[in-house]
Amino acid sequence: MINSYAGLDDTEVAIAAARAGADVVRGMYGRRLARIDKGAGDFATAADVEAEKAILGVVRAARPDDAVLGEEGGHQGAAGAVRQWLVDPLCGTLNYAAGTMVVAVNVALRDGAAAVADPFGGDVFFTDGERAHVRHEGVDAPLAPTSATGLVDVNLDPPFPNAPGFRAVELLGHPGFVERFRPRVVSTTLALAWVAAGRRAAYVTDGGDLSGSVHFAAGIALCRAAGCVVTGIDGGPIGGSGRGLVVAADAATHGLLMSLIRGR
């Protein structure tokens, strides 16, 4: 049997893997799906599991010596592997289970290529680590961040490790926020791809070090390659002791958000 993935570069592997997961997510939409309880109100569905299997099938075929860290399957592959893929097969599981088509499929090579697929919109946002594009119906276009929409996605899902010093919900009520921005809460990291694409002005979430998170790695890679400003909620670099995430289309938007966060 011919391995159709063996000759692909890392970027095309990421795109193919994200698309494979998106095909499963789209194909299983609307069915009554078994739920796997993860505790604290979190759960996965059969679609999460099957999408991850499809993604792993592509990665294993294309890069058999690489390791994978999956949201559902954990670490797989050789413990000493030099390279690792981070996989979130269905970001927005609660949206999906509730019949809402706002979800993402995230695939990222740690410190390398990444892709975010929108299963229902048909877009695949991707980066080779230096440039960022969106592919729609076979046509690639460069991503161009802009704050023109004034829309800011704020993640309100728990946990909130930096409370009471930082509470995302309080940011929404700040007079300065209301004067300049309009909030959106989509509860999926597809919002990060939207910042890179100019469909959102910014994205804010609480959290710890999110740089190596299966949920955030692909979106962070996209935003960095597109030229967005990417920091923690303290304004410092993400990674290590970094906390949470503030991603903005430009420095002015980032600066205003930081002043609101620090001045609450």
Side-chain angles (χ1 to χ4, degrees):
M1 181 180 294
I2 297 175
N3 183 348
S4 59
Y5 301 113
L8 300 180
D9 63 22
D10 287 338
T11 306
E12 292 298 331
V13 171
I15 292 170
R19 276 182 144 168
D23 288 345
V24 172
V25 170
R26 188 171 53 254
M28 297 182 72
Y29 179 75
R31 301 183 191 178
R32 290 179 60 88
L33 300 174
R35 296 191 181 191
I36 302 122
D37 183 28
K38 296 183 176 182
D42 192 16
F43 64 90
T45 70
D48 298 69
V49 175
E50 293 304 316
E52 184 164 302
K53 288 179 181 177
I55 293 166
L56 264 59
V58 173
V59 173
R60 285 170 176 158
R63 301 291 187 270
D65 295 328
D66 291 357
V68 175
L69 177 62
E71 165 71 1
E72 308 309 329
H75 185 278
Q76 300 183 49
V82 175
R83 304 183 351 142
Q84 183 184 53
W85 294 82
L86 306 172
V87 174
D88 182 0
L90 177 49
C91 187
T93 299
L94 184 55
N95 287 348
Y96 185 80
T100 304
M101 298 181 180
V102 185
V103 300
V105 176
N106 298 315
V107 179
L109 176 62
R110 191 182 289 273
D111 300 321
V116 177
D118 177 350
F120 301 102
D123 294 325
V124 181
F125 307 88
F126 64 93
T127 177
D128 60 2
E130 297 182 1
R131 296 166 298 277
H133 293 77
V134 59
R135 181 171 297 174
H136 186 81
E137 296 182 349
V139 178
D140 294 350
L143 295 181
T146 172
S147 59
T149 65
L151 301 177
V152 176
D153 260 300
V154 181
N155 181 20
L156 301 181
D157 289 339
F160 309 119
N162 295 297
F166 172 76
R167 296 184 190 274
V169 68
E170 293 176 359
L171 178 64
L172 303 183
H174 193 295
F177 186 94
V178 175
E179 289 173 6
R180 177 61 177 81
F181 302 113
R182 290 294 178 268
R184 292 294 183 272
V185 181
V186 297
S187 297
T188 169
T189 53
L190 182 60
L192 277 171
W194 289 347
V195 177
R199 303 176 192 179
R200 293 288 190 271
Y203 175 87
V204 180
T205 185
D206 196 355
D209 174 14
L210 302 180
S211 60
S213 165
V214 297
H215 306 291
F216 292 93
I220 289 171
L222 274 176
C223 289
R224 281 177 163 163
C228 300
V229 181
V230 181
T231 72
I233 57 173
D234 59 355
I238 60 173
S241 61
R243 300 179 298 128
L245 193 61
V246 178
V247 177
D250 51 50
T253 300
H254 183 268
L256 179 53
L257 284 170
M258 290 309 307
S259 69
L260 298 175
I261 290 170
R262 289 169 173 159
R264 284 179 310 100

